[in-house]
């Protein structure tokens, strides 16, 4: 995913197809000011890849005058970790999220996760939760339940919508709603944002305590 993609997702006019421009981040920004939670948004980046989702998130927050601090990055692929270390030399890159002791994770306000898409992709076997990678969503659920961050952003392939006749997507939504998060979901194609690829992705944004 291109680095500007998430930034555009939050701020450009095409976002108005689903929610009002900037409503999600602006409402979060206002809650920070009202509650004086911290001087910056602390976030974790799961299944980080080379950090594209993080970069877009940081750009979006900077546009609104919000400081950010990454308190955890989790990634297992060696080539991706190498790039992450080059881009963030002062940070420790953690490995397998299933092996990270949750007691060692600092409190955070926002969760980012482009969780593995192969089990849901049209290009794969579409084994869903029957594929070990497909169960990694439940690691997200585990951290959301324990830390109760104010918001999250999840990314996956559009096939997640239709996998198992929609039951997989409904299960994920039920889990998120059961934790008290209101969600917005939409599809975006990178070709609509100046990227020479026809790459459609599903985005799920959640805000704690909303409907």
């Amino acid at each position: 995913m291109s680095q500007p993609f998430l930034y555009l997702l939050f701020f450009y006019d095409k976002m108005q197809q689903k929610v009002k421009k900037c409503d999600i981040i602006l409402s979060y920004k206002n809650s920070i000011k009202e509650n004086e939670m911290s001087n910056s948004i602390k976030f974790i980046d799961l299944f980080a890849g080379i950090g594209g989702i993080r970069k877009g998130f940081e750009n979006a927050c900077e546009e609104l005058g919000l400081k950010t601090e990454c308190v955890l990055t989790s990634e297992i692929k060696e080539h991706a970790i190498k790039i992450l270390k080059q881009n963030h030399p002062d940070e420790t890159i953690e490995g397998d999220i299933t092996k990270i002791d949750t007691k060692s994770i600092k409190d955070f306000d926002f969760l980012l996760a482009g969780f593995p898409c192969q089990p849901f992709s049209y290009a794969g076997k579409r084994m869903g939760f029957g594929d070990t990678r497909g169960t990694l969503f439940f690691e997200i659920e585990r951290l959301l339940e324990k830390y109760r961050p104010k918001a999250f952003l999840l990314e996956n392939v559009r096939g997640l919508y239709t996998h198992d006749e929609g039951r997989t997507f409904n299960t994920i939504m039920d889990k998120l709603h059961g934790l008290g998060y209101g969600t917005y979901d939409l599809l975006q194609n990178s070709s609509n944002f100046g990227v020479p690829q026809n790459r459609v992705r599903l985005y799920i944004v959640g805000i704690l305590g909303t409907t």
Side-chain angles (χ1 to χ4, degrees):
M1 183 177 65
S2 68
Q3 291 179 348
F5 192 17
L6 177 60
Y7 177 81
L8 292 166
L9 176 67
F10 279 118
F11 292 103
Y12 279 29
D13 288 340
K14 289 185 182 295
M15 188 63 180
Q16 295 182 13
Q17 297 172 3
K18 195 72 176 181
V19 293
K20 291 181 180 180
K21 187 177 182 180
C22 300
D23 271 0
I24 295 170
I25 297 299
L26 282 174
S27 64
Y28 181 54
K29 179 181 179 181
N30 292 336
S31 72
I32 292 178
K33 285 188 173 181
E34 291 172 3
N35 299 321
E36 297 182 349
M37 290 172 51
S38 64
N39 293 324
S40 64
I41 297 179
K42 294 179 172 61
F43 69 93
I44 64 173
D45 190 11
L46 309 181
F47 319 106
I50 62 172
I53 292 179
R54 169 182 177 168
K55 182 62 176 176
F57 178 74
E58 291 174 329
N59 285 351
C61 289
E62 183 179 3
E63 176 75 8
L64 287 174
L66 295 171
K67 295 180 180 179
T68 57
E69 178 187 352
C70 183
V71 299
L72 174 73
T73 299
S74 174
E75 176 53 52
I76 63 172
K77 293 185 177 179
E78 292 184 6
H79 69 278
I81 293 173
K82 181 178 179 180
I83 293 174
L84 286 169
K85 287 182 175 179
Q86 290 175 347
N87 291 336
H88 308 286
D90 298 328
E91 297 181 12
T92 299
I93 310 301
E94 302 290 347
D96 189 341
I97 188 59
T98 66
K99 298 178 181 178
I100 297 175
D101 183 0
T102 56
K103 295 180 181 179
S104 68
I105 302 176
K106 297 179 181 178
D107 287 340
F108 57 93
D109 307 309
F110 212 110
L111 179 147
L112 306 175
F115 59 108
C117 63
Q118 295 91 339
F120 314 110
S121 174
Y122 294 120
K125 296 182 179 179
R126 308 202 77 197
M127 293 177 63
F129 295 141
D131 185 324
T132 301
R133 295 168 297 183
T135 64
L136 290 173
F137 164 76
F138 299 109
E139 293 300 316
I140 296 171
E141 180 192 18
R142 176 172 66 94
L143 294 180
L144 289 175
E145 183 175 20
K146 177 176 176 57
Y147 287 91
R148 311 295 290 169
K150 295 287 290 184
F152 62 78
L153 174 71
L154 309 182
E155 178 264 349
N156 210 279
V157 293
R158 62 177 169 179
L160 183 58
Y161 263 141
T162 58
H163 183 267
D164 195 17
E165 298 181 348
R167 284 187 285 269
T168 300
F169 180 75
N170 289 337
T171 295
I172 290 174
M173 290 295 100
D174 287 345
K175 295 291 186 180
L176 297 174
H177 296 159
L179 292 173
Y181 290 90
T183 59
Y184 306 85
D185 57 271
L186 72 161
L187 294 175
Q188 293 288 354
N189 193 330
S190 59
S191 64
N192 294 327
F193 298 95
V195 180
Q197 294 179 342
N198 186 39
R199 187 177 293 270
V200 180
R201 289 295 181 266
L202 166 65
Y203 291 88
I204 305 169
V205 178
I207 305 290
L208 186 62
T210 64
T211 56

